[in-house]
Amino acid sequence: MSVSLTLFIQQLIHLFGLQDVTLWLEQAPIIHPQLAEPRWLLILALPLGLVFWRWWQWRRLVHYADSALTPWATVHQGGGLSLRRQRATRLLLTLFWLMLALALADPRVPRSATAHMQTLPPILFVLDDSAAMSVQDVSPDRLARSLQLIRLLIPNLADRRLGLMVYADQAGLLLPPSPDHDLLRFFLTQIPALGHPVAAPRPDRAFLRAANLADLKGGAIVWLTSGDEASFSGALGSDQLAAAEQLKRAGLPLIAITEAGAGGPMLADGQPIKDNEANPLSSRPAPQRVAELARLTGGAATTTTTLPADAAFIDHEIQALPELPPRNQTAKQTRSLHSLPLLVALLSLIGAGLLGFPPLTRRKTSPFTGASTLIVMAMAGLVTVGIAPPAAQAAQLPEATDLTGGLSEPTNRLRLAQGDQALIGGDFAQAQVLFSASKGYAARLGNGVAAYRRADFTFATTQFQMASWLASTPAEQALALFNLGDALVMTGQYEAAFDAFSAVLTIQPKNKDAQKNRDLVDKFRKSISKNENDSPKFKGYQSATYGYYHEPKTSKMDQEVQQSSGGVNGAGGPATATQKPGTPFSLTEAIGASARKKLDLVNDQPAPLLDGLLRQQPYHTPVLGDNP
């Protein structure tokens, strides 16, 4: 080959952007391309539809036309072209459309012949690093067990990009998803030396960071957590739900394991951590809350059993994730071959235009018809040359993270309706997410109902309180205050509950149910007042140092209720009044029996919103007259 011809070919390759194509063809062996945007292949349905339409037209013509006129009609349908030119034109147009779809799908190959395309979803390990992980209810403790589990999983995930994030009250990204697993092993050795804050863990902050992590798109999160119940109390519980919703929107499922047993004291250097009153601080797991968040993101959760079983659970969930197109590969890692099918599409379009231009001697229509067709097709070809694969060369805009910013009234009504349906379906976590993203009286009231039925009574009280402020009619305010009284009863705030029911009676003096509830709560508080010396009033979830919660001694009222009703299924008995001050609260069967019996004694408001408190009656839009 002469030097001039070689230079000419190189100029053509440079002109049409075929450098990556030539380098790909020079590789040995040649790597099969993978499509970065396979969804563009759907445009092939358009020519198939046109072919079907033309076939239907031809069948109709043959069916209705006289047999003697059929040859004339079919020739006229071809625009004066010979049968051979018609077939060639259709073939070239079909080739154009096929190559255009292939170019838009962006075929890509690795730059090196020995490299592999990264299409397996990346995995981010999110690890609880708070003091709650020091509890030794699993061997040797929660944190050490989680680190062992990650090390056990690394060999099974050798072909994936793995990352690491830790959190306590704040979240820190130690390693973005990377194919270098030695870096991951290095950071795992550094975690025990990090500080472990004595604070309520905040996984929501880790989730929000992960949702905006570009390198994690299309992947999943392996969440190893203490499941500390302090993370889900009050407003924190609502924050976790909102963060889980962000993960759902980002397409990042949670694969969660609660690395905890029955709970126990938190340790530092082998010694119990104590509050300002020298009471040991304990961590109590809430695995049901962890499972709730995992379900909300489309993932799965379990409680730790053995390390091999935990590893098998995580590995099974990861292997079930769908593979990704090579859309996240940068120009330094892959070569794009879209210029080759794009060039073929352009040449096919030009050829179809030339063949489809009818001869002057056979024109039966305006002479501008064929020329206009050719011009339009040429312009389409020029536009096609300028098309670039969308995902490979154009960054996508991040999704908005503010659920309520600029909330329109139709959107608000839609979310309220969706929240109603979620409550009716028993999906209280999803209902709380939807109501939290809405505004107005109905949103706060529905949010309180959802939180109440998730047993988050502290947060329910705040929502019912806000609903009472936003009420526009006396009936709405009475309904919110009645539900507020119910929630206050569940948190042991009997004085406040008495005031709430009294306020209902001020608005609706004939409300017999509010009167009965107030009389019963009055009996509770008087009983507590008489026995205040040896049985302090149950104050519910009171915040202690570092955000952890404790329950004081069980009140005598609780004992009386339990003695009158007994435990559930024979598992519970009277609560002891000699419980040591500062002993952490744990939900035993006896306390559960007490709560349920108290609810049975409290006559519920026969309103559509909360017919049965914990009995979870169907939720409807609150409609209440002035008289109950």
Side-chain angles (χ1 to χ4, degrees):
M1 185 181 295
S2 64
V3 177
S4 59
L5 181 59
T6 303
L7 291 176
F8 177 71
I9 293 176
Q10 290 178 351
Q11 289 177 355
L12 286 179
I13 291 174
H14 181 74
L15 176 64
F16 292 104
L18 299 175
Q19 297 92 333
D20 283 341
V21 176
T22 57
L23 291 173
W24 168 60
L25 293 174
E26 292 173 359
Q27 292 180 352
I30 295 180
I31 303 174
H32 181 70
Q34 296 189 32
L35 301 180
E37 287 291 337
R39 291 174 295 180
W40 278 103
L41 296 179
L42 294 175
I43 67 173
L44 294 175
L46 180 59
L48 292 176
L50 291 175
V51 169
F52 176 77
W53 179 70
R54 293 280 301 202
W55 173 83
W56 178 76
Q57 273 195 328
W58 179 81
R59 291 289 298 175
R60 188 176 63 171
L61 181 64
V62 171
H63 180 73
Y64 290 105
D66 188 271
S67 57
L69 298 176
T70 300
W72 175 86
T74 54
V75 170
H76 178 73
Q77 194 179 27
L81 299 177
S82 65
L83 182 61
R84 182 178 298 178
R85 291 185 67 175
Q86 289 182 41
R87 291 177 177 176
T89 301
R90 292 169 186 169
L91 180 62
L92 288 175
L93 287 175
T94 302
L95 181 61
F96 157 73
W97 204 256
L98 177 63
M99 290 295 103
L100 177 62
L102 185 61
L104 291 173
D106 190 18
R108 287 186 164 265
V109 293
R111 285 192 169 271
S112 172
T114 58
H116 298 282
M117 190 73 70
Q118 292 286 340
T119 59
L120 296 177
I123 302 298
L124 179 68
F125 291 101
V126 174
L127 179 63
D128 188 347
D129 189 39
S130 66
M133 294 294 281
S134 65
V135 178
Q136 296 181 348
D137 53 350
V138 293
S139 179
D141 60 39
R142 297 175 178 178
L143 181 60
R145 186 181 181 87
S146 299
L147 297 176
Q148 291 176 11
L149 179 58
I150 297 176
R151 294 189 183 99
L152 189 62
L153 285 167
I154 291 177
N156 297 336
L157 307 175
D159 296 332
R160 298 178 185 267
R161 292 178 291 125
L162 305 179
L164 179 64
M165 181 183 292
V166 296
Y167 71 91
D169 53 340
Q170 299 293 332
L173 180 63
L174 298 184
L175 178 67
S178 167
D180 190 351
H181 295 172
D182 289 335
L183 276 176
L184 177 59
R185 291 186 178 92
F186 168 76
F187 280 111
L188 290 177
T189 62
Q190 305 302 310
I191 288 179
L194 299 176
H196 309 294
V198 186
R202 295 292 304 272
D204 57 301
R205 293 178 175 173
F207 296 161
L208 292 176
R209 290 199 61 179
N212 295 302
L213 195 60
D215 293 337
L216 192 60
K217 296 300 182 183
I221 294 175
V222 175
W223 181 26
L224 304 178
T225 174
S226 63
D228 193 285
E229 68 177 9
S231 301
F232 310 103
S233 236
L236 288 183
S238 184
D239 291 340
Q240 315 312 329
L241 291 174
E245 179 68 11
Q246 289 298 316
L247 291 182
K248 180 181 178 180
R249 295 177 63 187
L252 298 174
L254 279 174
I255 304 172
I257 291 187
T258 304
E259 294 285 352
M266 294 182 286
L267 305 175
D269 299 326
Q271 300 298 321
I273 301 175
K274 299 182 179 180
D275 59 16
N276 292 336
E277 298 180 357
N279 297 317
L281 294 177
S282 296
S283 172
R284 297 170 296 278
Q288 72 279 8
R289 298 296 186 217
V290 175
E292 187 178 58
L293 295 179
R295 286 194 302 271
L296 191 61
T297 63
T302 187
T303 304
T304 183
T305 53
T306 64
L307 281 176
D310 294 350
F313 169 78
I314 294 176
D315 188 64
H316 175 268
E317 295 296 330
I318 290 177
Q319 298 304 327
L321 297 173
E323 290 194 11
L324 304 175
R327 58 192 306 171
N328 294 328
Q329 305 303 309
T330 63
K332 295 181 180 180
Q333 297 174 310
T334 60
R335 301 184 190 279
S336 177
L337 308 180
H338 74 278
S339 56
L340 179 60
L342 201 60
L343 177 61
V344 176
L346 177 60
L347 295 177
S348 303
L349 185 64
I350 294 175
L354 293 175
L355 287 176
F357 194 78
L360 293 174
T361 58
R362 297 184 182 179
R363 269 188 212 147
K364 303 298 183 183
T365 58
S366 171
F368 296 103
T369 304
S372 301
T373 303
L374 181 60
I375 292 173
V376 170
M377 295 177 72
M379 291 179 63
L382 293 175
V383 172
T384 302
V385 174
I387 295 178
Q393 300 184 14
Q396 296 182 358
L397 294 176
E399 289 191 36
T401 56
D402 185 8
L403 293 177
T404 58
L407 186 62
S408 64
E409 190 58 33
T411 302
N412 190 56
R413 287 197 300 267
L414 176 62
R415 288 177 179 167
L416 290 175
Q418 291 173 340
D420 293 346
Q421 291 300 318
L423 276 181
I424 293 172
D427 191 353
F428 305 127
Q430 182 65 32
Q432 189 167 339
V433 168
L434 292 167
F435 284 127
S436 296
S438 308
K439 60 183 179 180
Y441 167 81
R444 301 285 70 77
L445 193 65
N447 209 11
V449 173
Y452 189 99
R453 293 183 176 176
R454 292 179 58 249
D456 193 351
F457 306 117
T458 303
F459 187 67
T461 59
T462 63
Q463 296 301 299
F464 289 139
Q465 180 67 75
M466 285 189 284
S468 68
W469 296 336
L470 294 172
S472 57
T473 65
E476 287 183 349
Q477 188 175 35
L479 181 60
L481 289 171
F482 194 102
N483 292 322
L484 175 61
D486 286 337
L488 290 169
V489 169
M490 294 306 299
T491 58
Q493 302 179 61
Y494 302 123
E495 293 286 349
F498 181 85
D499 293 339
F501 291 126
S502 298
V504 174
L505 290 172
T506 301
I507 300 171
Q508 298 175 339
K510 298 181 179 180
N511 192 323
K512 297 180 180 179
D513 299 292
Q515 182 66 56
K516 292 178 181 179
N517 282 8
R518 189 180 71 166
D519 293 343
L520 186 58
V521 172
D522 187 42
K523 178 182 177 182
F524 289 166
R525 64 177 188 145
K526 288 180 179 178
S527 176
I528 293 171
S529 177
K530 292 179 181 179
N531 300 278
E532 192 170 8
N533 293 331
D534 55 50
S535 181
K537 182 177 69 171
F538 171 55
K539 297 180 181 179
Y541 299 109
Q542 298 297 329
S543 177
T545 309
Y546 309 120
Y548 283 89
Y549 305 98
H550 300 274
E551 180 194 37
K553 295 179 182 178
T554 305
S555 66
K556 189 169 182 178
M557 179 276 299
D558 291 334
Q559 300 175 41
E560 292 175 351
V561 172
Q562 292 180 43
Q563 289 172 357
S564 63
S565 60
V568 176
N569 296 327
T576 175
T578 61
Q579 189 175 5
K580 294 182 180 180
T583 301
F585 170 75
S586 61
L587 184 58
T588 64
E589 194 63 26
I591 296 177
S594 172
R596 283 186 286 271
K597 288 302 177 181
K598 280 186 285 186
L599 283 179
D600 290 337
L601 291 174
V602 176
N603 291 305
D604 304 325
Q605 173 83 336
L609 181 62
L610 264 183
D611 292 335
L613 293 174
L614 289 184
R615 290 192 286 277
Q616 301 178 357
Q617 298 296 324
Y619 171 83
H620 305 284
T621 303
V623 178
L624 194 65
D626 291 334
N627 295 318

